[in-house]
Amino acid sequence: MFENLLTNQDSWLNGKGPSSEIVFSSRVRLARNFADKVFPSRAATSVKEDIRNTMEEIYSRVSALRGSTFVRMEDLEELSRQFLLERHLISQEHMASPKGKGLIVSADERIALMINEEDHLRMQVITSGFDLAACWQVLDGIDTELSGMVNFSFLPDLGYLTSCPTNVGTALRASCMLHIPALVLTKRINKILELLVKISFTARGLFGEGTQALGDFFQISNQGSLGLSEGELIDNLSGVVNQVKEQEIDARDNLLKKYKFSLEDNVWRAFGVLKNCRLIGSKEALSHLSMLSLGLDLGIIKGIKREVINSLFIIIQPAHLQRIEGKLLKEEERDYIRASILRERLVFED
Amino acid sequence: MFENLLTNQDSWLNGKGPSSEIVFSSRVRLARNFADKVFPSRAATSVKEDIRNTMEEIYSRVSALRGSTFVRMEDLEELSRQFLLERHLISQEHMASPKGKGLIVSADERIALMINEEDHLRMQVITSGFDLAACWQVLDGIDTELSGMVNFSFLPDLGYLTSCPTNVGTALRASCMLHIPALVLTKRINKILELLVKISFTARGLFGEGTQALGDFFQISNQGSLGLSEGELIDNLSGVVNQVKEQEIDARDNLLKKYKFSLEDNVWRAFGVLKNCRLIGSKEALSHLSMLSLGLDLGIIKGIKREVINSLFIIIQPAHLQRIEGKLLKEEERDYIRASILRERLVFED
């Protein structure tokens, strides 16, 4: 499977979705549990293997999952698991303790099903740009088809039962990854984050829960799913994301009006460093890529392909670098390879 | 005169002198006073004007000064005076209070005579690279010829009398401008500076007394001139400069051996910033130019002409930028023009 992952041009990183100059990606996930099995945290290995075997048997009968890849997590080396984490296909928890866990990934990486993570099934659909409805449509289809094959744990009054009570109900979480450098530069981000928490939305960094907001990326998602329908949850999140997006557009306009030269300077310096450095860490690279991306959005810099920058956000991560080189690398070696890749891929095209 | 100054390709900035990868320039100056006139600090304006008139009459009869330009300092606007300061043709003092002062500059800028600075005459010869003897030969010739035309203040026991007692004797000061980034990077510079003071040598920054050591430039000169002949003073300084030069070569070798990638990274990042920035202050520019210059010396970066970098060290100064633009500029405007000039002139040539 890995051979395809790095070269796939139609993945959610292509930067071609709606509003993708600010909304990097949209993602919807559902948690599902088998009615007759205990939750993964309490289940014996044999129970988890049963569930995984069932999924291996049936997944290719789900239309959206045809041609997908099935993986037993413990069959993968740590580096490969980290690689999947960096590609947003599995969670930290799924990476850290692989025993009895599984993964199903569609060829275009838009669909990923984690087996025996916190719940028996965590199914996600991710897409480029701001398009939660498209994600939900695909995911709803998968859920419907799977429901015809297995018996999911569901109570009429509560909805779907999940390992963590916050997910009970629709068991749906929707999120958008926003690239909002102008809100960070103008420091308006802090007020926005405070407000989001007050109205029950969560903001996280590029790599999920507990991670830093690297490269000016913030993932905004709904908190809890009880008492609202799937459509309402998605509409609510869309509304909030739309407001943050408008704020970012306003902040960009302001920056362009008041700090044009300084902004151009920041963008071109970021390009200058990325295009010339010989050693660079991933945090610094993310920060410059963020600035370069903003420059592209604002027309300050032209001719670099958005999908190149988007894929670099992912490719410069440690496990990706090591897969590209085909061997384990020390930190300084990674910094060296990262710099080489950045110099090589950041080119002006017609 | 100013039209020529910026375009002169044969000046001391051409970077073609001996050891010019470390010794940027060599300079020797003599102080002389007219025997029958009070020192400038006490002289009435009419006395200073007498001296200046005398010099205006006779200078073109000195063979090395043929074709030179004569200037009354008070005829120049402040910007033009600052321009001359940035080109190392006059001192801070000569710039600050122009009344009654004069300047004679040779067409190639290698020779400059300040009239009525601290002494009636301060005559300097400056040359590219490490060649104090060449400077002294020219300066000695000028001194000899002038001594045949005017009567200099001289006592057989003491030598030449000067306004400041530290200059009495030969009234000679020799100095070399060293570019020693590796000694700065390895922090060996501090010990060397302490040692220099102990053995009666002075180290100053790029723009003379009291200025910071910007761009890793240090000017090393002799302290006092009493009791030694001109030849001995120059030999002593040459010896000291040679030792510092050897230390720098050793530090460069060490850096290349132990921190090759990090050094390459620093050099290329400096280039990346200079080649892409849209706003840059002169301190930051000097620091990157210094690193770029080191990269050129060590073969890390190739194809940029040394004389281009050397002239940029001077051209990016405020008065130069304003002369190039032909008008007074605010700080942000200067930062913008400075960045444009750097981007435009730093090109790879065959």
Side-chain angles (χ1 to χ4, degrees):
Chain A
M1 68 179 282
F2 290 123
E3 291 66 35
N4 301 329
L5 290 186
L6 275 174
T7 52
N8 200 325
Q9 292 300 312
D10 293 309
S11 81
W12 55 274
L13 287 170
N14 67 14
K16 288 175 181 156
S19 302
S20 61
E21 76 287 359
I22 292 173
V23 188
F24 193 68
S25 61
S26 301
R27 173 181 168 271
V28 183
R29 73 107 171 102
L30 289 173
R32 291 291 181 261
N33 288 280
F34 286 50
D36 52 347
K37 309 276 187 192
V38 288
F39 290 136
S41 58
R42 303 227 156 206
T45 304
S46 63
V47 174
K48 292 197 229 175
E49 283 173 351
D50 272 0
I51 293 167
R52 191 167 63 180
N53 289 338
T54 305
M55 289 308 300
E56 188 175 10
E57 264 175 58
I58 63 172
Y59 81 89
S60 59
R61 280 148 49 198
V62 177
S63 49
L65 295 179
R66 221 161 279 150
S68 293
T69 302
F70 177 92
V71 189
R72 280 171 198 79
M73 291 308 291
E74 61 265 48
D75 291 350
L76 300 179
E77 287 178 359
E78 195 192 331
L79 186 61
S80 297
R81 300 199 306 271
Q82 202 195 325
F83 175 78
L84 293 170
L85 175 74
E86 290 175 2
R87 288 185 88 71
H88 297 260
L89 295 171
I90 63 171
S91 63
Q92 294 269 7
E93 190 190 322
H94 219 54
M95 187 195 89
S97 49
K99 187 123 188 71
K101 292 177 177 162
L103 175 68
I104 298 167
V105 191
S106 68
D108 63 3
E109 293 181 59
R110 290 184 58 205
I111 309 170
L113 272 73
M114 285 189 285
I115 303 164
N116 295 320
E117 203 241 22
E118 194 179 285
D119 296 293
H120 294 146
L121 289 184
R122 285 281 178 111
M123 316 188 282
Q124 77 168 24
V125 176
I126 190 165
T127 192
S128 169
F130 189 17
D131 201 352
L132 290 164
C135 295
W136 171 238
Q137 199 188 353
V138 175
L139 191 54
D140 194 24
I142 296 170
D143 182 45
T144 305
E145 290 186 55
L146 275 177
S147 299
M149 304 178 202
V150 294
N151 193 12
F152 287 140
S153 194
F154 179 84
L155 289 180
D157 290 350
L158 277 176
Y160 290 96
L161 299 183
T162 53
S163 181
C164 176
T166 59
N167 287 313
V168 169
T170 58
L172 177 144
R173 174 163 281 197
S175 65
C176 287
M177 185 70 76
L178 278 78
H179 184 237
I180 43 180
L183 291 175
V184 174
L185 280 173
T186 57
K187 299 198 171 63
R188 282 152 72 172
I189 184 65
N190 300 324
K191 219 172 167 180
I192 290 171
L193 292 181
E194 275 173 35
L195 209 75
L196 285 177
V197 173
K198 274 190 198 152
I199 57 170
S200 291
F201 289 83
T202 309
R204 298 162 168 179
L206 186 55
F207 293 99
E209 208 148 1
T211 64
Q212 260 187 294
L214 293 171
D216 307 320
F217 282 104
F218 290 83
Q219 190 196 73
I220 300 179
S221 61
N222 64 312
Q223 277 274 50
S225 72
L226 201 60
L228 291 170
S229 73
E230 288 86 351
E232 287 168 330
L233 286 169
I234 285 172
D235 285 351
N236 287 355
L237 180 67
S238 292
V240 168
V241 168
N242 218 34
Q243 280 179 44
V244 178
K245 192 188 97 178
E246 293 302 322
Q247 293 274 326
E248 169 72 13
I249 290 171
D250 185 62
R252 289 180 182 193
D253 285 349
N254 255 295
L255 281 177
L256 263 184
K257 266 183 216 144
K258 293 190 192 157
Y259 306 102
K260 186 167 178 287
F261 291 140
S262 167
L263 197 60
E264 290 178 355
D265 185 51
N266 281 336
V267 168
W268 280 102
R269 278 170 183 254
F271 173 75
V273 170
L274 292 171
K275 191 68 189 167
N276 288 284
C277 64
R278 260 58 183 171
L279 291 173
I280 193 165
S282 55
K283 272 193 196 181
E284 191 196 348
L286 281 174
S287 142
H288 295 321
L289 282 171
S290 167
M291 200 45 76
L292 189 54
S293 182
L294 177 64
L296 216 60
D297 293 340
L298 298 179
I300 290 173
I301 199 164
K302 288 180 182 120
I304 298 176
K305 282 193 179 163
R306 168 148 308 281
E307 58 208 88
V308 169
I309 295 181
N310 284 3
S311 73
L312 282 171
F313 277 119
I314 304 295
I315 285 175
I316 59 163
Q317 304 303 319
H320 274 75
L321 295 178
Q322 293 176 79
R323 284 207 69 85
I324 291 170
E325 288 299 296
K327 61 180 178 189
L328 289 172
L329 300 168
K330 288 182 200 147
E331 190 176 343
E332 208 201 32
E333 292 171 324
R334 291 203 301 268
D335 290 353
Y336 186 81
I337 302 289
R338 184 178 291 115
S340 310
I341 289 176
L342 285 163
R343 293 202 310 278
E344 188 188 296
R345 302 209 179 184
L346 283 176
V347 287
F348 291 102
E349 302 178 40
D350 297 327
Chain B
M1 66 180 285
F2 290 121
E3 292 65 38
N4 300 329
L5 289 185
L6 275 174
T7 52
N8 200 326
Q9 292 299 314
D10 292 309
S11 81
W12 55 275
L13 288 170
N14 66 13
K16 290 177 180 155
S19 303
S20 60
E21 75 287 357
I22 292 174
V23 187
F24 193 69
S25 61
S26 301
R27 172 180 168 272
V28 182
R29 74 109 173 101
L30 287 174
R32 292 290 181 263
N33 288 281
F34 286 50
D36 51 347
K37 309 275 185 191
V38 286
F39 291 136
S41 59
R42 305 227 154 205
T45 304
S46 63
V47 174
K48 293 197 228 175
E49 284 173 352
D50 273 358
I51 292 167
R52 192 167 63 181
N53 289 338
T54 304
M55 288 310 298
E56 187 176 10
E57 266 175 55
I58 64 172
Y59 81 89
S60 59
R61 279 150 46 200
V62 177
S63 47
L65 295 179
R66 222 160 280 150
S68 294
T69 303
F70 178 92
V71 189
R72 281 172 198 78
M73 292 309 291
E74 61 266 49
D75 291 350
L76 301 179
E77 288 178 358
E78 195 191 332
L79 186 61
S80 299
R81 299 199 306 270
Q82 203 195 326
F83 175 78
L84 293 171
L85 176 73
E86 291 175 0
R87 291 186 85 72
H88 297 259
L89 295 171
I90 64 171
S91 63
Q92 294 270 9
E93 190 190 321
H94 219 55
M95 187 195 89
S97 49
K99 186 123 188 72
K101 292 176 177 164
L103 174 69
I104 298 167
V105 191
S106 67
D108 62 5
E109 292 182 60
R110 290 184 59 206
I111 308 169
L113 272 74
M114 286 189 286
I115 303 164
N116 293 320
E117 203 240 24
E118 192 180 289
D119 295 293
H120 294 145
L121 288 184
R122 285 280 178 112
M123 317 188 277
Q124 76 168 24
V125 176
I126 191 165
T127 193
S128 170
F130 188 17
D131 202 352
L132 290 163
C135 296
W136 171 238
Q137 198 187 356
V138 175
L139 192 54
D140 193 26
I142 296 170
D143 182 46
T144 304
E145 289 185 57
L146 275 177
S147 298
M149 304 176 204
V150 295
N151 193 12
F152 287 139
S153 194
F154 179 85
L155 289 181
D157 289 348
L158 277 175
Y160 289 96
L161 298 184
T162 54
S163 182
C164 177
T166 60
N167 286 314
V168 169
T170 58
L172 177 144
R173 174 163 279 198
S175 66
C176 287
M177 186 70 77
L178 279 77
H179 184 239
I180 43 181
L183 290 175
V184 174
L185 280 173
T186 56
K187 299 197 171 65
R188 280 153 72 171
I189 184 65
N190 299 325
K191 218 172 168 182
I192 289 171
L193 292 181
E194 276 174 34
L195 208 76
L196 285 176
V197 173
K198 273 189 199 154
I199 57 170
S200 292
F201 288 83
T202 309
R204 298 162 170 180
L206 187 55
F207 292 99
E209 208 148 1
T211 64
Q212 261 187 295
L214 293 171
D216 307 320
F217 282 105
F218 290 83
Q219 190 196 73
I220 300 178
S221 62
N222 64 312
Q223 278 274 50
S225 73
L226 200 58
L228 291 171
S229 73
E230 289 85 353
E232 285 168 330
L233 286 169
I234 286 172
D235 285 351
N236 287 355
L237 180 68
S238 293
V240 168
V241 167
N242 219 34
Q243 281 179 44
V244 178
K245 191 188 97 180
E246 293 301 322
Q247 293 274 327
E248 170 70 13
I249 291 172
D250 185 62
R252 290 180 182 194
D253 285 350
N254 254 295
L255 281 176
L256 263 185
K257 266 184 216 145
K258 293 191 191 157
Y259 307 102
K260 186 168 178 285
F261 290 140
S262 167
L263 198 60
E264 289 179 356
D265 186 52
N266 281 335
V267 168
W268 280 102
R269 278 171 182 253
F271 173 75
V273 170
L274 293 170
K275 191 69 190 168
N276 288 283
C277 63
R278 261 56 183 172
L279 292 173
I280 193 165
S282 57
K283 271 192 196 182
E284 190 196 348
L286 281 175
S287 144
H288 296 320
L289 283 171
S290 167
M291 199 47 77
L292 189 54
S293 181
L294 177 63
L296 216 60
D297 293 340
L298 298 179
I300 290 173
I301 199 163
K302 287 180 184 120
I304 298 174
K305 281 193 181 162
R306 167 149 309 281
E307 59 208 88
V308 169
I309 295 182
N310 285 3
S311 74
L312 283 171
F313 277 119
I314 304 295
I315 285 174
I316 60 164
Q317 303 304 319
H320 274 75
L321 295 177
Q322 294 176 82
R323 284 207 70 84
I324 291 171
E325 289 299 297
K327 61 181 177 189
L328 288 172
L329 301 168
K330 288 180 201 150
E331 191 177 342
E332 208 201 31
E333 293 172 322
R334 291 203 302 268
D335 290 353
Y336 186 81
I337 302 287
R338 184 178 291 115
S340 312
I341 289 176
L342 284 163
R343 293 202 310 278
E344 187 188 298
R345 303 208 180 183
L346 282 176
V347 288
F348 291 103
E349 302 180 40
D350 297 325

